[in-house]
Amino acid sequence: MSVTYLGMPPFPQAAQDSTRDTRLRSNLRHATHTIRDKRAGAVAELPDWAALRTAGAQIKDRTLRHLDTYLEQLEAAVTAAGGTVHWAVDAAEANEIVTRLVRETGEREVVKVKSMATQEIGLNEALEDSGIAAYETDLAELIVQLGDDRPSHILVPAIHRNRGEIRDIFAEKMGRWGRPAPDGLGDSPAQLAEAARLHLREKFLNAKVGISGANFMVAESGTLVVVESEGNGRMCLTLPETLISVVGIEKVVPTWQDLEVFLQLLPRSSTAERMNPYTSTWAGSTESDGPRGFHLVLLDNGRTDTLADQVGRQTLRCIRCSACLNVCPVYERAGGHAYGSPYPGPIGAILTPQLDSVETGLDASLPYASSLCGACYEVCPVAIDIPEVLVHLRERVVQGGTVTVRGQRTTVRPAKGHAAERAAMRAASWTFDHPRALRAGERLAVRARRLVPNRLPRPGSAWTDTRDTPRVPPESFRDWWRRTRTPAEATEAAGKGGEGKVRQERAGSARREGPTGGVR
Amino acid sequence: MRVALFVTCINDALYPRTGQAVVTLLERLGVEVDFPDAQSCCGQPQFNTGYRHATEPLVERYADAFEGYDHIVVPSGSCAAMVRDNYPRIGAKAAAEGRGRVLSAAAERVVPRTYELTEFLVDVLGVTDVGAYYPHTVTYHPTCHGLRMLTLGERPRQLLEQVEGLQLRELEGAEECCGFGGTFAVKNAAVSSAMGADKARHIEASGAGSVCAVDNSCLMHIGGVLSRSGSQVRPLHLAEILASTRNAPL
């Protein structure tokens, strides 16, 4: 099963449409720049931020290195605390487990805490297929669900909507799901929040089953941790009789002391807060308080395969803060939907293709959805070198290679549609490795320089539709140097020598076949 | 001190004046500079598009071409970052693929000697006032790889601030990518163009007569957007400003 949504086009195609949406561009620009600036301020307050960031990365790396040990420790601790642990190898298995658990309660409705893992596996849709209604209770997730929409941001899923749009969605749709919006609903934040509060209160009070994810799981005590801002999570985690948490296996940390590092890194990176308003922690279940039954579904869904890749595994450090989305110039223009999965932005561009066991055209395009500007790496609180992973995944797309799929080492072939590019790249490398061919090429360009039109046919039009082409100068630097800096009699010898020296030293490679036989 | 210029392929073919400016500038500062003819391209376009194997011969070529020089000066943040950050990765991956340490050794030979131009001026030569004269308004765009991979920091600004007559204009959103990104510019042309348009708008709003950077690849994109929109703002490599003097003004 793919993490991407069905029928999504490759990224460039989707982004071509979304960049033209001026309202979306303006919503996103305003929202991302506001969060971005606030994050910078919150981070700058801590003199030891760099050390915290390093600690975060190292704790995650160490935990991932011994993931089997910590997961078993966690399972034992959760079980001892009265919870039941289930292991799900993929999305289908996780959905089956959750559906069965809900059915066993006899309930037809569940309330949900905002959770990336359940979006990743398409849990709401799976429950709906079994006649179970899942109600999102996070404000932004509610907006997305009522609007029959998709989330476009990890932290603020309705970032693509403005107040007016939200008002319309509430007024039109709330009544179909439960308590309708008050008459004459305005678009002030206070009015919108009040409408959501009244609507959701009904859900909280009636729900017998809650479903959540978790930000962290502490192995030593079997404690799950959810951090949130609205209090809806606390409601869902404490009011229902049964609580089911679906959590990716990479969310485990060994100890509470380790957790302390992340409780500093996460709020400042995601909401630019020193501390998030609600931090809920629980282990198992108790008779006297909160849910009587607690189930933890540990989700793999491609994570073990990702862990097998030496470069790609750093992706699993991610704590879903979304700081990378908020600074990404590509995300800001293309919007989250163009990434075609619940994980948009730079982290999505590296996470989605790695989690997917079936490569789609969209998966192959995602690693290219970046100018490699490095802003994401700079703000990442666990120092994921996203540009490094992007380039690594691009290699997999065009060169193929060995990957792990469901625990098996598998050779993947290069993705389709790169034949012309591959030929061009190889020809370029060959030319650059043969200075005389390079010089001939440069001189040809100089002679033809007045023939270069300002508007090129495809594929050159991808450049010239919006940009003028640079003018080819009358002389290359190389020729200028030879003309002005090298004595006349030495010129010929130097030219040959320059090429010959390297050639002789690398005799093995000097006789390689070139793609353009006539040049030499 | 043996100093070699790695002019980079794009400067060689499209912006020879930048290479000439580096030579003029370094010679004015008393540095004898050589141009090893065996040099070509650092391999960044291939590597960043995913063609790591096609990059490997160029890593060896670079290491061989610059053998014996104390310092390799590169008038491009992006190409210098390619050598310093990615050559070791290429070496490590080749070794992991069972192809020995040849590329790792090549990387180790050149990484410590490769300097972006402003690093060479400020860190090695220890100068910020290079005796330049450019009595015009300029805004500075810190290109991404220079800013984040090389962490050039204030070096380019320090050099610009010492240029006689130069008025530096602030650029809004200066640290945002211009949208070039190598093959990104054509693979994701719509997003690249949208980023370029925003950058061009901010450059226009700065009121400067020229936009200066340490990478001609980014300036090619920015300049292409500016000129298509009929802007009079001139894209200019930092080296050309630093080479300009009262006697030989740009």
Side-chain angles (χ1 to χ4, degrees), chain A residues 145-208:
Chain A
Q145 190 175 39
L146 290 177
D148 199 16
D149 198 358
R150 281 172 178 162
S152 70
H153 191 283
I154 291 175
L155 180 76
V156 269
I159 195 169
H160 56 289
R161 298 289 197 189
N162 62 26
R163 279 158 37 180
E165 292 174 283
I166 294 167
R167 192 212 75 89
D168 294 346
I169 291 169
F170 279 9
E172 201 181 310
K173 299 282 184 65
M174 266 183 175
R176 285 187 219 171
W177 290 78
R179 181 173 172 148
D183 287 335
L185 178 68
D187 70 354
S188 76
Q191 282 173 296
L192 294 173
E194 182 62 9
R197 182 176 287 125
L198 294 170
H199 178 83
L200 288 171
R201 186 67 41 152
E202 257 185 25
K203 304 288 179 211
F204 294 133
L205 294 175
N206 292 329
K208 299 283 186 284

Side-chain angles (χ1 to χ4, degrees), chain A residues 505-519:
Chain A
E505 286 167 10
R506 302 165 55 223
S509 58
R511 288 278 170 266
R512 271 181 306 219
E513 280 295 305
T516 49
V519 177

Side-chain angles (χ1 to χ4, degrees), chain A residues 387-445:
Chain A
E388 182 192 18
V389 182
L390 286 166
V391 172
H392 177 70
L393 295 175
R394 290 175 184 188
E395 268 179 40
R396 190 183 290 178
V397 172
V398 298
Q399 288 188 172
T402 312
V403 297
T404 307
V405 181
R406 295 218 152 207
Q408 300 294 316
R409 298 293 280 165
T410 311
T411 304
V412 290
R413 296 173 57 76
K416 287 181 183 138
H418 292 268
E421 178 187 89
R422 184 175 304 112
M425 287 295 176
R426 285 186 183 158
S429 281
W430 185 87
T431 309
F432 283 126
D433 201 26
H434 292 75
R436 273 203 273 181
L438 175 61
R439 201 175 303 123
E442 284 176 355
R443 287 179 182 164
L444 184 67

